[in-house]
Every structure is written in structure tokens, then in C-alpha cells.
Amino acid sequence: MTEIQSFMLTVCFGCTMGFLIGTFAMMVSDGIHYLKQKRRKKKEQKEQAKAE
């Protein structure tokens, strides 16, 4: 393998791994955000039910 081919392979692998890691991080972040919203809504509904 020539030096250019090796460099291209490294760049492509790095881009692919970066994309996969970024996607996974966004999925985890969105999941945490979703759970926080769900918990907040449930708490607000409890407080409204208690007030009525």
C-alpha cells in the first residue's frame, strides 16, 4: 500500500468512527432529555391533580 492509500484509509476510517461515535452520543443525549421531560410532565400532572 502506498503512503497516499494508507492516509486515505486512515482518514475514511476516522470519519466513519467519528460519525458513529457522534451518532451514539446524540442518541444517549436525546434519551436523557426525553426521560427528563417525561419525569417533569409526570410531576406537573401530580401537582395539578393535588391542587384540584
Side-chain angles (χ1 to χ4, degrees), residues 8-31:
M8 287 172 53
L9 182 63
T10 303
V11 169
C12 289
F13 180 74
C15 289
T16 303
M17 290 307 295
F19 179 76
L20 290 174
I21 292 169
T23 302
F24 181 72
M26 285 300 296
M27 286 173 55
V28 170
S29 173
D30 286 343

